[in-house]
Amino acid sequence: MIVDTDTGSDDAVALLLAAASGLGDIRAVTTVAGNVPVDIGTRNALISLQIAGRTDIPVHPGCARPLTRALSSAQHVHGQDGMGDIGLPEPAAACQKSHAVEALLAYPREHPGELTLVTLAPLTNVAAALICDPELFSRYRHVYCMAGAADLRGNISPTAEFNVWADPEAARIVAQAATPETVTWVGWDASRKDAVMTPTDQQRLQQLNTPMATFAHRINRTVADWARDVTGLAGYDLPDPAAMAVALKPELITELESAHVDISVAADTRGQMIIDRRVTAPAPNLTLVRRISETGFKELLFATVATPVVEAAPAGAGAAS
Ligand code: BDR
Ligand code: CA
């Protein structure tokens, strides 16, 4: 698996799932500007992998701003540092020198058809990679994106979801290159309905008292305030962990549809999904996950963060001599 992320607090929980659930095998993480500027997101990805005991996973820093627009971050949601401003120490590992876009192009060429790409962020890196290699999606086993709001109930605007809104031109490039067989979007609608951490869930997380559970609980502090004040959910939602859970365990999906989707780049509907469900619609280009099993998702989350962290051997160690 390759994970593209603008690591803020929910991306961090998704990285724990990918690195420590035992269901995934992350080969690399690529970062992009979104929730926070890309250097901060890269730092947060390194910290999250360290908490999961996986300092061996390479992290490639990527695009510092959307394709055509200035960066509008979500630091008002995830904190100035993207991680709830709880004063996390600097990571032990350093990031790679090679760029995220190069990594997104290179890994599937080395392992054609074997890797799953999971995107948790604005689609800038992926769109740039697609411009270099229009056949990119066919080189991955599958591509899962935390993207969009198929019921048009937005979180960053009345009708748009943040990752698509932040770089709608990139999202449009991705949608236009996608087919339902190659690309699945897990939207904010599924997260809002099936991945909300209620006060009882938050208490359970806190009481687990393991390093990963405590980390997951503390970094989502500012998102909890924002969810209460803005989206009005019964707790904070975990969109990126929901998308990661689907990628790791597709049997969690309880409702999906294939549809023809375009993305609005107009000022007043920026980032809104334009879904054509008419009989006359063009052929579907995306699979949309509309609901997941809330119980199955939360079981996976609690089981993962409850485990003690086992440090992975540094890259190269243990190789036969
Ligand atoms: C998405 O936006 C970000 O704030 C989250 O990390 C997630 O990827 C949800 O709309
Ligand atoms: Ca994200």
Side-chain angles (χ1 to χ4, degrees):
M1 173 181 285
I2 309 287
V3 184
D4 187 67
T5 163
D6 56 340
T7 312
S9 54
D10 69 313
D11 302 68
V13 178
L15 287 173
L16 298 185
L17 286 182
S21 65
L23 298 176
D25 175 10
I26 323 185
R27 294 303 172 89
V29 168
T30 55
T31 61
V32 67
N35 282 327
V36 285
V38 68
D39 53 334
I40 301 180
T42 303
R43 165 191 183 266
N44 295 343
L46 290 164
I47 292 172
S48 306
L49 293 171
Q50 185 174 331
I51 295 284
R54 296 299 308 273
T55 50
D56 58 312
I57 295 171
V59 176
H60 301 265
C63 297
R65 65 163 180 79
L67 292 183
T68 66
R69 299 173 190 250
L71 172 64
S72 295
S73 75
Q75 286 161 292
H76 60 295
V77 178
H78 297 273
Q80 281 307 304
D81 72 351
M83 303 285 266
D85 294 326
I86 59 169
L88 289 167
E90 291 306 308
C95 64
Q96 302 294 304
K97 290 202 169 51
S98 52
H99 195 275
V101 176
E102 283 174 52
L104 290 171
L105 292 163
Y107 283 100
R109 282 190 185 275
E110 283 163 28
H111 306 278
E114 289 177 22
L115 294 165
T116 298
L117 172 62
V118 184
T119 78
L120 310 173
L123 289 155
T124 319
N125 285 339
V126 182
L130 273 170
I131 292 167
C132 298
D133 179 1
E135 300 304 316
L136 184 71
F137 288 158
S138 70
R139 305 187 199 287
Y140 281 97
R141 187 165 165 223
H142 198 76
V143 179
Y144 292 92
C145 304
M146 192 285 127
D151 60 357
L152 306 191
R153 287 186 63 170
N155 54 5
I156 191 72
S157 79
T159 57
E161 178 280 323
F162 176 77
N163 288 340
V164 172
W165 177 91
D167 195 344
E169 286 77 16
R172 188 174 225 189
I173 289 171
V174 167
Q176 287 174 354
T179 64
E181 293 72 36
T182 52
V183 182
T184 298
W185 281 18
V186 186
W188 193 64
D189 46 330
S191 170
R192 184 172 61 75
K193 291 173 187 156
D194 301 319
V196 173
M197 295 293 281
T198 64
T200 310
D201 295 326
Q202 294 176 38
Q203 199 179 19
R204 185 172 166 197
L205 194 58
Q206 204 173 0
Q207 285 171 350
L208 283 175
N209 204 24
T210 58
M212 282 194 281
T214 303
F215 175 73
H217 175 70
R218 293 184 65 221
I219 59 177
N220 280 294
R221 198 178 63 91
T222 56
V223 181
D225 294 344
W226 184 78
R228 181 195 58 223
D229 297 343
V230 179
T231 51
L233 300 176
Y236 63 83
D237 63 311
L238 288 175
D240 293 341
M244 182 58 76
V246 165
L248 293 169
K249 215 174 170 184
E251 59 269 32
L252 290 177
I253 300 169
T254 57
E255 192 182 319
L256 48 74
E257 67 170 322
S258 292
H260 186 272
V261 179
D262 197 359
I263 303 300
S264 172
V265 294
D268 54 354
T269 53
R270 169 179 173 177
Q272 180 185 308
M273 292 172 79
I274 304 165
I275 308 177
D276 194 342
R277 296 189 174 97
R278 295 174 299 174
V279 177
T280 51
N285 56 343
L286 284 176
T287 296
L288 305 173
V289 172
R290 304 301 310 273
R291 299 294 302 262
I292 64 170
S293 161
E294 177 176 356
T295 317
F297 165 68
K298 289 181 181 173
E299 273 169 16
L300 175 62
L301 175 67
F302 287 125
T304 302
V305 297
T307 55
V309 176
V310 181
E311 284 292 330
S321 54

